[in-house]
Amino acid sequence: DADVTQTPRNRITKTGKRIMLECSQTKGHDRMYWYRQDPGLGLRLIYYSFDVKDINKGEISDGYSVSRQAQAKFSLSLESAIPNQTALYFCATANPGQGANEQFFGPGTRLTVL
Amino acid sequence: GENVEQHPSTLSVQEGDSAVIKCTYSDSASNYFPWYKQELGKGPQLIIDIRSNVGEKKDQRIAVTLNKTAKHFSLHITETQPEDSAVYFCAASIGTGTASKLTFGTGTRLQVTL
């Protein structure tokens, strides 16, 4: 969905490096999410935020941190990347206040940690 | 927490045939069940969803059925077309029926052959 953008789209880095993945949205949604996708494991929730002052851990938050800089921006950081963090990362947004339940996903960031 | 199992992991059907993907969930408090379609190189996109107060929902060639007693739900695609080829994810949401926090299945890769 073009309303949710992720940068970079691809990144190759080395073990131990600090990496930041960025997500921006123009939907005006309050809720934002970070997922990782691995073959055979589906989508797993890393962190989520229901508004600018709210940050919650998901099922696999170890090794990751997030920052909600504004309603429209939600960044995911890997403080010291390791090879098993190689995955496809997705940002998503939602706004249940409109009566809908859909999560809107960005195009993904493919991260490779060597 | 919630656990969602999805089968099969891969499914190949001939164009025009039907495809069925099945999911089971563990937490009886779950009451919202969306299905997402992920095309190659893109983020997942909602295609249909169902709430626990409904047993079946249909939208053109796709339908979803829910059996609360057995805690399973299924996606049915009829008259499959090549553009249906994608990865499909089921999900479940615990609690109030919003998309606050979704637990995803592991995905089904559907291939529609000519």
Side-chain angles (χ1 to χ4, degrees):
Chain A
D1 191 310
D3 297 326
V4 182
T5 58
Q6 294 184 233
T7 55
R9 293 294 313 277
N10 289 282
R11 180 73 184 268
I12 299 174
T13 190
K14 294 182 178 180
T15 298
K17 294 291 187 180
R18 184 179 187 274
I19 296 296
M20 178 180 286
L21 309 183
E22 299 185 346
C23 176
S24 294
Q25 50 111 349
T26 58
K27 289 188 163 295
H29 289 173
D30 289 326
R31 300 186 176 189
M32 299 188 73
Y33 307 78
W34 275 105
Y35 293 90
R36 68 175 278 176
Q37 183 178 5
D38 300 275
L41 296 178
L43 292 154
R44 293 181 293 166
L45 184 62
I46 305 172
Y47 271 96
Y48 60 105
S49 169
F50 284 175
D51 63 44
V52 175
K53 298 180 181 179
D54 176 77
I55 300 290
N56 303 282
K57 292 183 177 181
E59 61 180 303
I60 55 163
S61 59
D62 288 348
Y64 302 94
S65 62
V66 291
S67 173
R68 185 79 185 266
Q69 301 95 324
Q71 185 202 40
K73 296 184 181 297
F74 192 35
S75 299
L76 176 72
S77 293
L78 289 67
E79 296 300 325
S80 180
I82 56 177
N84 76 1
Q85 292 177 313
T86 293
L88 189 55
Y89 290 84
F90 287 101
C91 173
T93 73
N95 193 4
Q98 295 177 340
N101 294 280
E102 182 175 359
Q103 289 193 14
F104 295 85
F105 284 81
T109 294
R110 184 169 296 281
L111 176 66
T112 303
V113 183
L114 302 176
Chain B
E2 175 65 283
N3 181 52
V4 177
E5 295 189 355
Q6 183 172 347
H7 300 281
S9 57
T10 60
L11 180 60
S12 182
V13 299
Q14 286 195 325
E15 183 179 7
D17 288 349
S18 296
V20 180
I21 302 170
K22 299 181 179 181
C23 290
T24 60
Y25 60 99
S26 61
D27 194 324
S28 57
S30 292
N31 60 359
Y32 173 68
F33 307 93
W35 285 88
Y36 283 79
K37 176 183 181 182
Q38 184 180 22
E39 297 179 340
L40 193 63
K42 297 183 179 180
Q45 186 171 9
L46 180 71
I47 55 171
I48 195 168
D49 56 11
I50 192 168
R51 296 183 182 276
S52 59
N53 60 348
V54 176
E56 183 173 0
K57 184 177 179 181
K58 192 172 183 179
D59 183 5
Q60 299 182 350
R61 295 187 297 108
I62 61 173
V64 57
T65 58
L66 172 65
N67 183 327
K68 287 173 53 181
T69 301
K71 291 190 282 189
H72 67 71
F73 56 112
S74 300
L75 177 71
H76 303 253
I77 306 173
T78 58
E79 300 174 14
T80 53
Q81 301 170 3
E83 53 264 38
D84 295 328
S85 295
V87 178
Y88 292 80
F89 292 99
C90 61
S93 176
I94 295 175
T96 60
T98 70
S100 297
K101 188 177 169 185
L102 293 173
T103 299
F104 285 87
T106 51
T108 296
R109 182 175 299 278
L110 174 64
Q111 183 174 1
V112 180
T113 58
L114 298 175

